[in-house]
Amino acid sequence: MEKGKVRFIQNPVIEEPVWKRIIVDSNLPKTLEPLRILSRNLWWVWNTEARELFQYIDAEIWEECEHNPIVLLDRVSYNRYRELEKDEHFLGKMHYAAELFNNYMEARKTLEGPEIAYFSMEYGLHDSLKIFSGGLGILAGDYLKEASDSKVNLVAVGLLYRYGYFKQTLNLHGEQMANYDAQQFSKIPVQPALDAAGNWVSVEVEYPGRTLIARVWQTNVGSVKLYLLDADHHDNSEADRFVTHHLYGGDNENRLKQEMLLGLGGIKALNKLGYNSDVYHCNEGHAAFIGIERIAGLIQNENLTFAEAKEAVSASTVFTTHTPVPAGHDSFHNDMFRHYMNFFPAKLGLVWEEFDMLGKTRKEEDHFNMSYLASNLSHGINGVSMLHGDVSKAVLKDLYKGYMEEELEIGYVTNGVHYPTWAAQEWKDIHKKYFGEEFPSTQLNFDVWKNIYNVPDAEIWELRKKLRQKMINYIKQRFSDNWIKRSENPKLITEVMGKLNPNTLTIGFARRFATYKRAHLLFRNLDNLSKIVNNPDRPVQFIFAGKAHPADKAGQDLIKHIVEVSKMPEFRGKILFVQNYDMNLAKMLLQGVDIWMNTPTRPLEASGTSGEKGVMNGTLHFSVLDGWWVEGYQKNAGWALPAERTYDVQDFQDELDAETIYDILEQEVVPAYYERNSQDIPEKWVGFVKNTIANVAPHFTTGRMIKDYQDRYYNPQFDRSKKVKADSFKLAKELAEWKAKVASKWDAIEVKKIEIIDGITHKMVMGDKYPVRVCVDLNGLTHNEVGLEVVITETEDGGNENIVATLEFEGEKCEGNVCCYKSIVAPDHPGSFSYSFRLFPKHEALPHRQDFKYVKWIS
Ligand SMILES: *Cc1c(COP(=O)(O)O)cnc(C)c1O
């Protein structure tokens, strides 16, 4: 009320209500106690025995509460529990599931191998725990489940969001509405994380002029514990409570606050909980602050310098980058970044400028880049598919001047998906029958999957039909509920429902509506599309789903366009857009459709995982050769759009790709599906399904993925980091001291003489030998500390230099500071090459060259 309008002279005295908390426990009788235990560990998500149990209790409530067993158990009536207590069948199932669970947990009481601390901004474990938005999160969620299954000693850290990511509804015009539902933390599988003394753990993070206090929650994912930090409580100001409200919401400043909480707070949380992990895995740059917080800890507790602590921290950190374009990497503007992080350099014994350079390649840059920070503090860096590994080299190359892109020590581990989460129960049954009872614990033996060839065609085709039917029923239900809610014309609903056909070749396309994913491709020529879907003998239907980020207008327009097309008379019931793509819908679609389609602009799909979920269900993949499909595609096991880019102009490329898609559909896909043998089985199609399961699927599980991380990163880094830390960080100190010495002398290193005996002339003869000697004033360093090599390159048509060979020289003799190196250059194939000499620091304990980025090119 405005001043001056106040009419009461005296404020009335109003007693504030005093709320007293009461907790009414659910009715769950003692005999049914195992249900509560099962509901509190996400193990139930990927174990059908437990899932079926909850569904059995009350199928209707189970659907209403969106498969949240905690809510279910609260809502089931006392009478129903009384019935269940007497239901022998149910009790048998319950005890069986409880026994499986107990055995599972018992087998994971003591674990071997290094302890991994895994950090991610999001985790997609189940739709009822809204702390994920899409691919990145679901990957992290799958990874935790696999870590538990594979008995990997892993602990994870993330944020608990009050609202998470949005729920999508579409209005009559196909416009996307974003709804955020608050999560009640008592209704989701989180519990207060307690320290050894039984106190609820909280951590403090410094913000400008104040301290944020975050509570720590614990989620159990089988044997893996996931700790979630939450700022939304009374100890924080209103504004700061917002920090953990939304995933990828708010502005860049809120993102910085979140990342400070995740990185700085996450390490503090693990410390308070008594963890001292061996290897830290930074899933995407969001959590890169873990590196500086750990360095600060070592400086304080072990009395190390920044340089020494950095050796120890980098040795034990793996950084996985998921983003294929520079603009996609998180970065914060200088002014804001300094406002928030100004207090930190002092903890590291650095001045601001030194600290700032951890996130930059040149000091003039106006943003601090989180991927640069993560790269600078991680000895292991990887992309998420073979192609993306190379793409990441291009993205990060500015950090390693003096080295050529292809030389960079950036590897890859191709993403995978968690078999027990994504394979249909019907497939699991077949796999157990033909692959052996132990499956999926034998999933890493790829030969086991070849037993799919022993399954009769009819059995596979029946299964595919069943899953398609199940999916169509589910879609009809979900679709008509939504359409009725938004008051669509009943005639239209009936028409669409009537036309959807469980026997029709069904193609699924569901993903985030980002422009590079090119969902529009299929709609470039509506006449062509209409011809394909309306072929009277061989029809095709498409099911679309996916969200667009609330700030992405182009993505939302695309959804709107698809909805509009789907209402045109010729596309009704042929093109369907189902709203609110979530894990459950993904599962139904990936198991039920015949083809999963993906049409990204290459190479922007770093990996993609949805197609991997499809292939383990015998869903054939049809995609651009990008991300995982570069490695996955095989002839007669799906379809691929060629990798070559024909046009520079994107629009032309899109046109060409669209035509190619129509063509492949009409010429190859449709005939393979509709040509049937005498038993009405499409032999060729089933052959493709078998090839897919035998030869493609086994390579894209999280089982394979976690093994790759162990072999390529965790185990080698653990071994090395033990050495770095041994004897009170002796090697860390040695390396830091040596690097400082080399750095101080490097610039004054000077070439005295390059002696090309017999001459590398403009014309060299293949097979001949050309001895070379190079003498350098090493400024007091030795042969053993400075290597010299010749780098021979070939220039490609496009102007790119490709390395043909590098040849390290042998140290010869030193006179005073001047040391000579010699080698023999012997060309072994003809062509036109360039060569140059390069000096680099050498130490046997370096993990790789780019760990110490000093390079001097000489000529
Ligand atoms: C698997 C999955 C994704 C990621 O799929 P991409 O192939 O990477 O686009 C996104 N959302 C949901 C719901 C998923 O299940």
Side-chain angles (χ1 to χ4, degrees):
M1 201 176 284
E2 288 170 78
K3 276 205 176 122
K5 283 197 179 167
V6 176
R7 277 186 279 158
F8 296 107
I9 305 297
Q10 240 182 331
N11 285 332
V13 178
I14 298 175
E15 293 288 342
E16 295 262 345
V18 178
W19 299 108
K20 294 203 178 99
R21 274 183 81 81
I22 48 163
I23 292 169
V24 180
D25 264 346
S26 75
N27 296 320
L28 197 67
K30 264 245 141 22
T31 42
L32 302 181
E33 185 60 19
L35 293 175
R36 190 201 309 279
I37 294 168
L38 288 172
S39 75
R40 289 282 165 181
N41 187 314
L42 287 167
W43 179 84
W44 70 263
V45 171
W46 70 97
N47 287 277
T48 321
E49 293 81 1
R51 263 206 327 270
E52 283 175 355
L53 208 57
F54 295 127
Q55 185 172 30
Y56 184 98
I57 292 174
D58 191 319
E60 204 169 302
I61 301 182
W62 182 238
E63 288 309 317
E64 273 171 28
C65 69
E66 294 173 334
H67 303 180
N68 181 336
I70 296 171
V71 175
L72 172 88
L73 295 183
D74 273 352
R75 289 199 16 206
V76 169
S77 71
Y78 188 65
N79 288 341
R80 178 64 184 142
Y81 281 133
R82 281 269 164 269
E83 275 170 29
L84 290 170
E85 273 189 298
K86 290 184 219 118
D87 182 339
E88 288 303 329
H89 174 68
F90 175 78
L91 293 175
K93 277 172 90 77
M94 182 185 75
H95 289 302
Y96 179 61
E99 191 189 322
L100 286 179
F101 175 68
N102 290 337
N103 292 343
Y104 179 93
M105 294 302 284
E106 197 56 40
R108 286 158 183 75
K109 271 229 161 101
T110 48
L111 297 167
E112 285 166 13
E115 182 183 276
I116 315 299
Y118 186 85
F119 286 75
S120 178
M121 190 82 161
E122 48 168 322
Y123 293 91
L125 291 153
H126 186 259
D127 290 322
S128 62
L129 184 56
K130 299 184 205 327
I131 55 170
F132 69 98
S133 81
L136 180 72
I138 293 167
L139 178 82
D142 272 17
Y143 198 65
L144 301 194
K145 294 171 185 171
E146 185 64 49
S148 175
D149 285 351
S150 300
K151 301 184 181 171
V152 174
N153 193 356
L154 184 142
V155 56
V157 180
L159 301 181
L160 181 57
Y161 302 96
R162 179 63 71 181
Y163 295 92
Y165 203 58
F166 71 94
K167 208 167 161 172
Q168 176 194 53
T169 54
L170 299 176
N171 71 11
L172 269 176
H173 311 291
E175 285 154 357
Q176 172 178 288
M177 310 284 151
N179 310 308
Y180 292 91
D181 296 332
Q183 308 199 74
Q184 239 180 305
F185 295 162
S186 61
K187 304 284 187 197
I188 56 177
V190 298
Q191 65 200 53
L194 307 179
D195 63 16
N199 299 314
W200 191 349
V201 171
S202 64
V203 292
E204 298 184 351
V205 175
E206 266 183 69
Y207 283 169
R210 62 195 192 276
T211 301
L212 180 86
I213 299 173
R215 305 187 293 199
V216 185
W217 299 83
Q218 175 183 332
T219 291
N220 297 317
V221 186
S223 60
V224 167
K225 294 189 178 68
L226 165 61
Y227 293 104
L228 298 169
L229 278 53
D230 150 39
D232 188 18
H233 54 85
H234 291 295
D235 294 335
N236 295 319
S237 69
E238 264 322 300
D240 283 344
R241 293 180 66 158
F242 182 82
V243 170
T244 52
H245 275 190
H246 303 284
L247 169 60
Y248 306 139
D251 51 13
N252 207 234
E253 181 169 353
N254 201 60
R255 178 73 73 90
L256 175 58
K257 291 191 214 172
Q258 289 185 336
E259 296 189 1
M260 287 172 72
L261 178 57
L262 177 63
L264 308 178
I267 293 294
K268 289 179 179 176
L270 287 186
N271 289 342
K272 280 201 168 177
L273 289 158
Y275 287 90
N276 182 15
S277 301
D278 299 304
V279 176
Y280 290 73
H281 190 160
C282 188
N283 187 42
E284 193 54 303
H286 305 135
F289 289 138
I290 60 172
I292 56 169
E293 181 66 25
R294 286 178 64 214
I295 291 176
L298 286 178
I299 290 174
Q300 197 179 13
N301 302 324
E302 305 289 342
N303 205 15
L304 302 182
T305 64
F306 172 77
E308 292 161 355
K310 179 170 173 278
E311 289 296 328
V313 165
S314 309
S316 53
T317 310
V318 187
F319 165 46
T320 300
T321 169
H322 295 255
T323 320
V325 288
H329 291 253
D330 263 359
S331 65
F332 301 107
H333 190 269
N334 283 344
D335 298 343
M336 182 174 76
F337 186 70
R338 184 155 191 179
H339 180 59
Y340 277 88
M341 291 301 289
N342 206 19
F343 74 102
F344 214 90
K347 289 174 182 276
L348 305 175
L350 300 179
V351 297
W352 177 259
E353 287 68 24
E354 292 167 319
F355 177 71
D356 198 34
M357 279 309 290
L358 291 170
K360 292 184 176 172
T361 65
R362 290 176 300 117
K363 63 175 184 299
E364 300 77 34
E365 280 164 1
D366 59 4
H367 278 70
F368 184 95
N369 183 308
M370 293 297 278
S371 296
Y372 291 162
L373 175 65
S375 301
N376 280 326
L377 299 180
S378 307
H379 284 166
I381 304 175
N382 73 287
V384 291
S385 68
M386 192 160 67
L387 178 62
H388 180 248
D390 288 338
V391 170
S392 302
K393 291 179 184 178
V395 171
L396 296 173
K397 69 170 189 291
D398 288 350
L399 280 175
Y400 308 102
K401 288 180 196 109
Y403 284 100
M404 299 170 91
E405 204 174 299
E406 61 190 277
E407 292 180 285
L408 301 185
E409 292 287 341
I410 295 174
Y412 72 94
V413 171
T414 306
N415 285 341
V417 295
H418 184 236
Y419 170 88
T421 296
W422 298 104
Q425 186 55 41
E426 290 83 349
W427 276 114
K428 290 182 187 171
D429 294 341
I430 286 207
H431 292 159
K432 275 222 184 311
K433 185 164 144 200
Y434 290 90
F435 298 2
E437 271 302 310
E438 322 78 53
F439 196 81
S441 68
T442 49
Q443 60 175 304
L444 288 180
N445 177 357
F446 297 156
D447 285 342
V448 163
W449 299 70
K450 298 219 162 37
N451 288 315
I452 196 72
Y453 290 117
N454 299 332
V455 185
D457 284 4
E459 199 169 339
I460 287 188
W461 188 237
E462 275 314 306
L463 178 52
R464 292 290 320 165
K465 275 164 51 181
K466 187 172 162 195
L467 291 173
R468 192 184 319 105
Q469 177 74 61
K470 210 164 133 179
M471 181 262 310
I472 295 283
N473 294 346
Y474 177 80
I475 298 288
K476 281 187 173 174
Q477 184 62 44
R478 187 149 162 169
F479 189 79
S480 57
D481 284 356
N482 294 334
W483 277 39
I484 289 164
K485 257 190 215 144
R486 65 176 191 241
S487 310
E488 289 279 0
N489 178 348
K491 253 170 66 186
L492 190 64
I493 304 180
T494 321
E495 185 181 348
V496 168
M497 292 300 118
K499 280 189 175 162
L500 257 186
N501 186 337
N503 299 314
T504 293
L505 168 59
T506 309
I507 301 180
F509 185 109
R511 53 190 39 87
R512 193 157 51 87
F513 273 76
T515 325
Y516 81 85
K517 302 241 186 192
R518 294 197 300 179
H520 57 278
L521 219 51
L522 214 69
F523 301 97
R524 281 195 73 107
N525 187 332
L526 290 183
D527 289 341
N528 267 358
L529 186 61
S530 170
K531 223 174 78 204
I532 292 169
V533 298
N534 291 311
N535 182 328
D537 306 317
R538 300 177 159 191
V540 177
Q541 58 200 6
F542 285 89
I543 300 175
F544 283 84
K547 300 174 177 178
H549 190 278
D552 178 8
K553 177 79 169 50
Q556 290 170 42
D557 286 348
L558 194 51
I559 292 175
K560 186 165 186 284
H561 180 61
I562 297 176
V563 172
E564 281 163 5
V565 170
S566 75
K567 290 183 182 176
M568 294 176 177
E570 67 269 39
F571 291 113
R572 287 179 195 164
K574 301 286 184 180
I575 305 254
L576 218 65
F577 192 100
V578 187
Q579 69 187 31
N580 202 38
Y581 186 44
D582 59 12
M583 289 178 76
N584 197 39
L585 177 57
K587 214 156 120 173
M588 297 306 288
L589 289 177
L590 282 152
Q591 294 172 356
V593 301
D594 300 287
I595 297 232
W596 193 252
M597 201 150 116
N598 193 14
T599 53
T601 309
R602 196 178 135 104
L604 298 183
E605 186 80 297
S607 166
T609 51
S610 54
E612 300 176 343
K613 300 165 189 167
V615 294
M616 58 174 56
N617 286 290
T619 297
L620 303 184
H621 199 53
F622 179 7
S623 168
V624 171
L625 280 178
D626 195 11
W628 76 279
W629 194 230
V630 175
E631 295 151 70
Y633 171 69
Q634 299 184 6
K635 208 166 176 310
N636 299 332
W639 292 271
L641 249 67
E644 299 80 42
R645 196 181 169 101
T646 313
Y647 293 103
D648 285 337
V649 180
Q650 188 59 43
D651 195 47
F652 287 1
Q653 186 65 41
D654 286 358
E655 184 69 32
L656 175 68
D657 287 348
E659 289 306 321
T660 313
I661 292 172
Y662 298 136
D663 227 51
I664 294 178
L665 282 177
E666 281 188 295
Q667 306 300 324
E668 299 180 36
V669 177
V670 170
Y673 182 88
Y674 283 106
E675 272 158 24
R676 305 292 166 94
N677 66 13
S678 56
Q679 288 128 45
D680 198 28
I681 293 170
E683 271 174 28
K684 187 169 177 192
W685 191 276
V686 174
F688 272 40
V689 170
K690 287 184 177 178
N691 294 341
T692 294
I693 293 175
N695 304 322
V696 183
H699 301 280
F700 301 98
T701 63
T702 39
R704 191 273 308 146
M705 174 187 167
I706 215 163
K707 176 87 176 27
D708 282 351
Y709 272 110
Q710 288 176 315
D711 293 348
R712 297 177 195 172
Y713 295 97
Y714 299 160
N715 293 337
Q717 285 196 243
F718 176 49
D719 289 344
R720 184 169 176 278
S721 102
K722 273 190 293 197
K723 290 184 192 137
V724 170
K725 286 201 287 197
D727 300 331
S728 314
F729 298 88
K730 186 160 164 270
L731 183 55
K733 289 174 184 167
E734 246 174 64
L735 275 171
E737 192 184 75
W738 174 76
K739 284 181 179 177
K741 179 180 82 173
V742 173
S744 71
K745 293 176 182 283
W746 192 257
D747 286 348
I749 289 178
E750 202 183 339
V751 181
K752 288 295 181 196
K753 179 163 68 168
I754 301 180
E755 206 180 308
I756 300 174
I757 307 152
D758 295 341
I760 301 182
T761 57
H762 284 297
K763 274 219 179 313
M764 293 170 78
V765 179
M766 213 168 69
D768 278 4
K769 295 189 164 64
Y770 300 85
V772 183
R773 176 179 292 122
V774 181
C775 299
V776 187
D777 182 339
L778 290 178
N779 193 22
L781 297 171
T782 67
H783 273 138
N784 296 336
E785 294 172 303
V786 181
L788 184 132
E789 64 194 348
V790 62
V791 181
I792 302 171
T793 64
E794 190 174 27
T795 309
E796 265 191 350
D797 292 348
N800 278 339
E801 293 277 314
N802 276 336
I803 294 184
V804 181
T806 55
L807 178 68
E808 186 169 347
F809 279 43
E810 205 181 303
E812 221 183 10
K813 60 174 195 295
C814 297
E815 271 174 35
N817 277 349
V818 177
C819 295
C820 295
Y821 298 81
K822 66 163 187 191
S823 187
I824 296 169
V825 177
D828 60 2
H829 52 275
S832 156
F833 305 99
S834 315
Y835 72 92
S836 188
F837 301 103
R838 179 166 71 182
L839 289 164
F840 59 95
K842 255 171 84 167
H843 193 297
E844 59 181 15
L846 286 182
H848 51 71
R849 289 253 202 111
Q850 285 111 37
D851 175 51
F852 190 38
K853 303 179 276 194
Y854 280 70
V855 173
K856 199 188 258 302
W857 286 90
I858 55 181
S859 52

